[in-house]
Amino acid sequence: MAKEIVVGHVRDIGLGRRTYHYLLSGLVMDDRWESEVAEYGAMNITGFRIVDNTKKHVRHFLEGWRNLDPLTSLGAGKDSISAQAALMYDAVFVLVEAFNKLLRKKPDVFRNSFRRAPYNSTTKALDCNVSGGWVTPWEHGDKISRFLRKVELEGLTGEVRFSEEGRRQNYTLHVVEMTVNSAMVKVAEWSDESGFTSVSAKYTRPKSTLHIERNKTYIVTTIVEEPYIMLR
């Protein structure tokens, strides 16, 4: 949606100028912004990213992600991944890590909690009691919650760890801007611990297709227009 709006504004006579500056909220800059779409570089665009493509494990994941069949793996087959998909990917690994730690500590913790027989048997089963108008919490819920808060791992969205209240902490958002050649350049970063910090932007100049031959005379013609062009 954001990309379509940007292209629409570029083609608008009143809005498609680099004197306008667009700040995109959310994490839409993690989506794939095709460099061949010239409209993206026609305006000043600043946004946020959470996936750091410079990290080795992220590059390794994206290499495999790019080789997947998009027909069987929705969103794959590209050299980038959306922030929403990356966050879901990390969330699955957080759950796996938490349950693995719990089962290593107490292998039989769920032995008597799951049904292994037909529905009409007398085996104990999980019952949320939704028909009563409220939800009955699972007996292991608090224990699982504690193990989830103890998980620490390095995911696609950076370091994943949680506070005692269950909020994610020590994460970083990358502030990027779109250059005139529709490339993204990191200009700053924000973290929940250190706040906003500017970084040295590494701009890449587009390659010039103009070739100037040496030992050749070039005639330049102009018009005298004071005070810009004057005879001296």
Side-chain angles (χ1 to χ4, degrees), residues 196-212:
F196 185 86
T197 305
S198 299
V199 300
S200 179
K202 298 180 180 179
Y203 294 101
T204 302
R205 291 186 177 183
K207 295 181 180 180
S208 175
T209 57
L210 179 62
H211 176 68
I212 300 178

Side-chain angles (χ1 to χ4, degrees), residues 145-176:
S145 178
R146 289 196 300 271
F147 274 85
L148 284 172
R149 292 195 296 269
K150 293 179 180 179
V151 171
E152 293 185 11
L153 56 85
E154 190 72 19
L156 295 181
T157 59
E159 184 179 1
V160 180
R161 65 166 62 179
F162 303 94
S163 65
E164 288 298 324
E165 294 76 25
R167 295 180 179 273
R168 184 173 176 178
Q169 61 182 9
N170 198 29
Y171 62 94
T172 301
L173 297 180
H174 308 280
V175 184
V176 297

Side-chain angles (χ1 to χ4, degrees), residues 52-60 154-155 157-159 174:
D52 189 356
N53 296 336
T54 62
K55 293 187 176 180
K56 183 177 180 180
H57 70 280
V58 176
R59 294 199 305 268
H60 178 73
E154 190 72 19
T157 59
E159 184 179 1
H174 308 280

Side-chain angles (χ1 to χ4, degrees), residues 118-133:
Y119 183 79
N120 57 358
S121 73
T122 58
T123 305
K124 185 179 180 181
L126 296 176
D127 185 6
C128 295
N129 195 30
V130 293
S131 60

Side-chain angles (χ1 to χ4, degrees), residues 63-115:
E63 182 179 350
W65 181 252
R66 183 170 53 251
N67 295 329
L68 291 177
D69 185 359
L71 297 178
T72 57
S73 301
L74 187 62
K78 303 176 182 178
D79 54 3
S80 63
I81 184 172
S82 68
Q84 184 179 13
L87 288 168
M88 288 190 291
Y89 180 89
D90 288 349
V92 171
F93 273 89
V94 169
L95 289 171
V96 171
E97 181 68 14
F99 276 97
N100 282 340
K101 287 184 176 180
L102 178 58
L103 291 174
R104 282 196 297 267
K105 187 174 183 180
K106 296 183 178 181
D108 59 346
V109 63
F110 302 128
R111 188 178 302 277
N112 297 322
S113 300
F114 295 108
R115 181 192 302 279

Side-chain angles (χ1 to χ4, degrees), residues 1-7 9 21-31 33 40 43-49 173-178 184:
M1 177 64 72
K3 293 188 288 187
E4 287 78 4
I5 293 176
V6 168
V7 173
H9 282 197
H21 201 137
Y22 293 83
L23 177 63
L24 304 184
S25 61
L27 298 171
V28 296
M29 302 301 277
D30 277 309
D31 295 339
W33 292 71
Y40 297 150
M43 293 187 299
N44 293 305
I45 301 175
T46 302
F48 305 94
R49 302 183 71 173
L173 297 180
H174 308 280
V175 184
V176 297
E177 66 178 24
M178 194 79 71
M184 290 189 193

